[in-house]
Amino acid sequence: MSKINSTLQAAVNQQINKEIYSSYLYLAMSAYCETINFPGTAHWLRAQSQEEWEHAMRLFQHMIDRDGTIKLSAIQEPPSEFGTLKEVFQKVLEHEQTITRNIHELYELALKENDYPLQIELQWFINEQVEEEKTAGEILEQIKMIGDHKGSLIMLDRHLASR
Ligand code: OFO
């Protein structure tokens, strides 16, 4: 496979950082949901955090396979408070929308640089982002429908525990 060029190496390194930040952000959200007594949501977010780590590792492996140089950089500190359960999922959805934009920008760069293997690798991420936004959006809609009904929020939390 052809070596990945230096412009794309820098961009992929940046995306690895963003995926690790996503993992870190969801881990912080998971800890927060434990403190507001939504253990099922905390479990869901912890699984999400692990998925984000795997996304970072996919790009990491692509760089290794393409003879790229990995340059790990500092991970931003995530917040430690996220408000209500509705606000938690609003933030998950907003974050996923940002990551989708990042992936699309990276894909555009891979097109510009005529890097076909990276384009194919990123197609997996483009599909994944559709799923991620859909899932976060659906949970948010359910929370909006539930409103302040405590019993239904507890039921939703139990449902999220089954992930
Ligand atoms: Fe890596 O998909 Fe969410 O952020």
Side-chain angles (χ1 to χ4, degrees):
M1 217 186 257
S2 60
K3 184 177 165 79
I4 183 167
N5 77 24
S6 59
T7 305
L8 289 172
Q9 285 184 40
V12 173
N13 274 322
Q14 256 184 27
Q15 191 61 35
I16 290 172
N17 183 287
K18 285 174 187 159
E19 299 293 340
I20 295 177
Y21 175 72
S22 302
S23 177
Y24 219 33
L25 176 67
Y26 294 146
L27 193 61
M29 285 182 175
S30 172
Y32 174 75
C33 284
E34 294 283 0
T35 69
I36 58 168
N37 297 313
F38 286 117
T41 311
H43 168 85
W44 189 93
L45 284 161
R46 210 192 285 202
Q48 191 61 30
S49 171
Q50 270 164 7
E51 264 198 17
E52 296 299 347
W53 182 260
E54 283 158 23
H55 295 171
M57 289 308 107
R58 266 186 102 103
L59 292 173
F60 185 97
Q61 190 59 48
H62 187 81
M63 285 275 274
I64 303 284
D65 293 345
R66 304 282 312 285
D67 216 5
T69 305
I70 303 278
K71 173 81 183 69
L72 296 178
S73 48
I75 309 297
Q76 191 192 324
E77 182 179 316
S80 53
E81 289 203 16
F82 300 92
T84 63
L85 200 61
K86 183 173 140 195
E87 286 166 334
V88 169
F89 278 95
Q90 267 163 349
K91 284 166 188 164
V92 171
L93 181 58
E94 278 164 24
H95 182 69
E96 288 305 327
Q97 288 165 339
T98 303
I99 296 293
T100 298
R101 279 195 295 277
N102 298 150
I103 294 289
H104 291 176
E105 281 162 17
L106 189 52
Y107 188 77
E108 279 162 27
L109 193 60
L111 286 176
K112 194 169 153 254
E113 300 289 328
N114 294 319
D115 189 317
Y116 304 112
L118 183 59
Q119 288 167 27
I120 290 167
E121 181 68 47
L122 289 173
Q123 280 165 14
W124 182 90
F125 281 86
I126 292 169
N127 280 327
E128 177 70 7
Q129 284 310 121
V130 172
E131 275 306 303
E132 299 263 34
E133 284 193 34
K134 179 170 172 253
T135 307
E138 281 172 357
I139 297 170
L140 180 58
E141 283 312 310
Q142 284 169 12
I143 295 171
K144 282 183 185 165
M145 280 193 286
I146 289 170
D148 287 334
H149 193 275
K150 272 243 158 60
S152 302
L153 278 178
I154 291 169
M155 294 279 282
L156 176 68
D157 186 65
R158 287 212 185 118
H159 172 67
L160 292 177
S162 66
R163 180 179 182 174

